[in-house]
Amino acid sequence: MSVIHVDKNSFQQEVVNSSKPVLLDFWASWCGPCRMVAPILDEIAQERSDIKVCKVNVDEQPELARQFGIMSIPTLMVFKDGKVVNQTVGARPKGQILAML
């Protein structure tokens, strides 16, 4: 599966109502650490059919960024059953990202 880009209109369906755990990345195109994490998230999305990998561009979706109190990016969150169960800020290696799940 590929990474799913979500906005305020698709967030409820793709993240909150997902039957699978969701790894959600809050990012921006100008953010260096975000660009470092992006290929790792693409890999995880391809390798793990048991989860969804979603991304929210904070510049295009400021309401979602505010809703979740995003102050620094990249912020990675894991949602299970519509609730945040894990969260980290900053670029992380693949092993640490997978450990969040």
Side-chain angles (χ1 to χ4, degrees), residues 30-80:
W30 49 263
C31 164
C34 299
R35 288 196 302 268
M36 290 168 47
V37 169
I40 297 170
L41 296 177
D42 290 337
E43 260 181 51
I44 292 170
Q46 293 300 322
E47 294 169 1
R48 298 280 304 265
S49 60
D50 60 321
I51 64 166
K52 275 176 140 174
V53 179
C54 297
K55 297 181 84 155
V56 173
N57 184 319
V58 296
D59 290 334
E60 295 172 3
Q61 302 300 318
E63 306 92 353
L64 284 174
R66 262 194 308 279
Q67 181 181 339
F68 289 96
I70 304 301
M71 299 304 235
S72 299
I73 52 173
T75 293
L76 297 173
M77 293 181 167
V78 176
F79 283 77
K80 288 185 181 164

